[in-house]
């Protein structure tokens, strides 16, 4: 394993998994997957897969105070009450404007049925909110992937009421040594409280800037650095923008390795277990209680990933097979426009957080897809 630093680790207890529509099978041999050429994989969505949530509600939820949505990449489900957490980049689109200039609450909680605003907070604390995670206690974690002199390149943990409980990283400072981040993308906590952060947003570019990273960093529940793994590259255990993180019921860490058009799956010591190639150029991940995987592809286009549609591909954590597909918004782009973040509530409704590519076609920051 490349670039691996370890001071100790705890294993999760395997909880078992269910299956969606097809028989479960064991994980494929990781070494076999590592030899696969992603450019040789064809889009499973081209086969006309079923769409489990065909009803599309654009501009589903409205921001406080009549604000207009900017772009976003983050949406998650509150595990306690089932409502929806998301963030807005304070009206900014992509990297322009946003929370460093417009001091409004970027983090918002919505009622999952009505879209009513239930809570909002975080004004003045961020530059570019990027990842969102709601832990088992209802605390809300946000990564900030850009920086100014005194903000950004951090991970912030909030109570459900918006009190800052923990900050990882040094606001406004970029670094690769323990305690610092360089464009953190996403954050997730394990059931034992361990914290995992994916770091390095610019690594998917053809010529990454000096000092760019592509790594996963683990912290203790108290925020103490434990270990990290990964560098920029396309080899096993390497990353070109580890854009999103999720755990399955076995405690395996799924990493959306966006620039490499794959999902890499690790144990919590950084050992590569499996690699999935059927989900496209993945920006966002969600794994439900039955280990169904929802992967949203927002970036497939003729320049980055030709002949693949954007949209949400659905399968099961047990194997690299896509069984369902939620199509993208229609646009002038033949590959469509889809969001960057995805989450699924207990009724199977799917929520997409609309990024800069899809914001106009979606007509708002959140799209809700419902069953018939």
């Amino acid at each position: 394993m490349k670039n691996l630093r370890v001071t100790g680790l705890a294993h999760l207890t395997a909880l078992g998994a269910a299956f969606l529509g097809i028989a479960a099978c064991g994980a494929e041999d990781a070494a076999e997957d590592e030899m696969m050429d992603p450019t040789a994989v064809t889009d499973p969505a081209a086969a006309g897969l079923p769409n489990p949530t065909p009803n599309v509600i654009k501009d589903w939820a409205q921001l406080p105070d009549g604000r207009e949505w900017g772009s976003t990449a983050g949406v998650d489900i509150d595990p306690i009450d089932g409502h929806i957490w998301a963030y807005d980049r304070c009206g900014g689109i992509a990297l322009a404007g946003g929370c460093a200039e417009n001091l409004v609450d970027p983090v918002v909680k919505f009622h999952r049925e009505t879209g009513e605003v239930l809570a909002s907070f975080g004004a003045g604390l961020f530059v570019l909110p990027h990842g969102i995670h709601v832990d088992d206690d209802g605390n809300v974690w946000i990564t900030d992937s850009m920086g100014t002199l005194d903000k950004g390149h951090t991970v912030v943990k909030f109570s459900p009421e918006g009190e800052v409980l923990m900050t990882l990283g040094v606001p406004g400072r970029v670094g690769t040594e323990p305690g610092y981040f360089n464009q953190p993308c996403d954050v997730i906590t394990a059931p034992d409280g361990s914290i995992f952060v994916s770091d390095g947003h610019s690594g998917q570019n053809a010529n990454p800037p000096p000092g760019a990273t592509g790594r996963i960093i683990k912290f203790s529940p108290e925020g103490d650095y434990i270990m990290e793994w990964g560098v920029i590259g396309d080899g096993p255990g390497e990353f070109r923008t580890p854009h999103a993180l999720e755990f399955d019921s076995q405690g395996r860490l799924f990493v959306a390795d966006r620039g490499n058009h794959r999902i890499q799956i690790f144990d919590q010591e950084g050992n590569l277990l499996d690699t999935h190639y059927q989900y496209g150029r993945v920006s966002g991940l969600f794994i439900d209680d039955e280990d169904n995987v929802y992967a949203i592809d927002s970036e497939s286009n003729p320049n980055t990933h030709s002949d693949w549609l954007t949209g949400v591909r659905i399968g099961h954590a047990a194997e690299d097979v896509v069984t369902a597909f939620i199509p993208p918004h229609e646009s002038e782009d033949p590959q469509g426009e889809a969001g960057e973040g995805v989450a699924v509530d207990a009724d199977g409704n799917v929520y997409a957080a609309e990024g800069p590519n899809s914001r106009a076609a979606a007509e708002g920051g959140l799209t809700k897809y419902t069953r018939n």
Side-chain angles (χ1 to χ4, degrees):
M1 182 61 60
K2 298 181 180 180
N3 195 29
L4 182 62
R5 287 182 267 177
V6 185
T7 61
L9 193 61
H11 290 283
L12 287 176
T13 301
L15 302 176
F19 203 87
L20 173 66
I22 53 178
C25 72
E28 299 173 47
D29 182 76
E32 209 173 279
D33 277 337
E34 291 163 13
M35 300 302 293
M36 184 175 290
D37 178 5
T39 63
V41 182
T42 57
D43 187 359
L49 295 171
N51 178 2
T53 52
N55 302 309
V56 182
I57 306 173
K58 294 185 176 183
D59 197 19
W60 170 68
Q62 305 305 309
L63 292 171
D65 304 320
R67 288 162 40 196
E68 182 176 349
W69 278 93
S71 61
T72 179
V75 59
D76 204 2
I77 309 297
D78 193 305
I80 297 173
D81 58 26
H83 295 307
I84 313 303
W85 286 95
Y87 65 76
D88 166 57
R89 289 174 175 156
C90 307
I93 302 294
L95 307 182
C99 296
E101 302 171 12
N102 189 16
L103 304 183
V104 295
D105 289 339
V107 185
V108 186
K109 185 179 186 179
F110 301 99
H111 193 285
R112 72 185 184 96
E113 294 177 354
T114 66
E116 174 191 359
V117 174
L118 302 177
S120 67
F121 50 75
L125 298 179
F126 297 102
V127 179
L128 189 84
H130 194 279
I132 187 171
H133 165 63
V134 187
D135 67 25
D136 290 342
D137 296 321
N139 301 308
V140 182
W141 300 70
I142 304 288
T143 65
D144 193 351
S145 66
M146 291 185 65
T148 60
L149 291 176
D150 59 355
K151 298 177 187 176
H153 299 291
T154 56
V155 177
V156 182
K157 175 186 179 182
F158 294 96
S159 73
E161 296 74 35
E163 178 187 358
V164 175
L165 302 177
M166 180 187 297
T167 299
L168 299 176
V170 180
R173 295 283 303 278
V174 172
T176 59
E177 62 270 29
Y180 292 86
F181 297 117
N182 185 359
Q183 301 179 345
C185 294
D186 201 11
V187 58
I188 195 166
T189 57
D192 70 352
S194 299
I195 305 160
F196 293 81
V197 178
S198 60
D199 188 61
H201 193 270
S202 61
Q204 71 185 30
N205 301 329
N207 297 298
T213 58
R215 58 181 176 163
I216 308 299
I217 311 171
K218 182 181 179 181
F219 301 86
S220 73
E222 295 74 34
D224 297 321
Y225 174 92
I226 295 177
M227 61 175 287
E228 66 182 64
W229 71 89
V231 294
I232 294 176
D234 55 12
E238 299 176 346
F239 306 101
R240 290 193 178 277
T241 302
H243 205 264
L245 303 173
E246 269 286 76
F247 280 116
D248 70 0
S249 66
Q250 300 178 55
R252 300 186 303 166
L253 181 64
F254 284 57
V255 181
D257 185 10
R258 186 165 76 176
N260 286 321
H261 309 156
R262 64 189 181 185
I263 298 171
Q264 296 197 76
I265 305 169
F266 300 88
D267 67 17
Q268 293 181 39
E269 294 178 348
N271 297 305
L272 180 64
L273 303 175
D274 208 346
T275 308
H276 291 178
Y277 297 95
Q278 294 289 317
Y279 291 89
R281 189 177 171 91
V282 180
S283 287
L285 284 170
F286 187 89
I287 300 179
D288 68 16
D289 291 341
E290 296 182 341
D291 273 352
N292 301 312
V293 177
Y294 295 76
I296 192 164
D297 178 340
S298 68
E299 284 203 349
S300 284
N301 62 57
N303 296 320
T304 62
H305 200 210
S306 61
D307 301 322
W308 284 63
L309 293 172
T310 60
V312 182
R313 293 175 179 82
I314 305 167
H316 193 273
E319 65 176 359
D320 190 13
V321 176
V322 172
T323 58
F325 179 66
I326 302 173
H329 302 293
E330 294 184 0
S331 72
E332 295 180 357
D333 188 334
Q335 292 174 249
E337 305 284 2
E340 288 199 26
V342 64
V344 185
D345 68 20
D347 295 326
N349 301 309
V350 178
Y351 303 82
E354 305 295 349
N357 293 343
S358 63
R359 169 63 184 82
E363 302 173 8
L366 289 177
T367 301
K368 184 175 183 178
Y369 299 89
T370 66
R371 299 177 181 273
N372 283 325

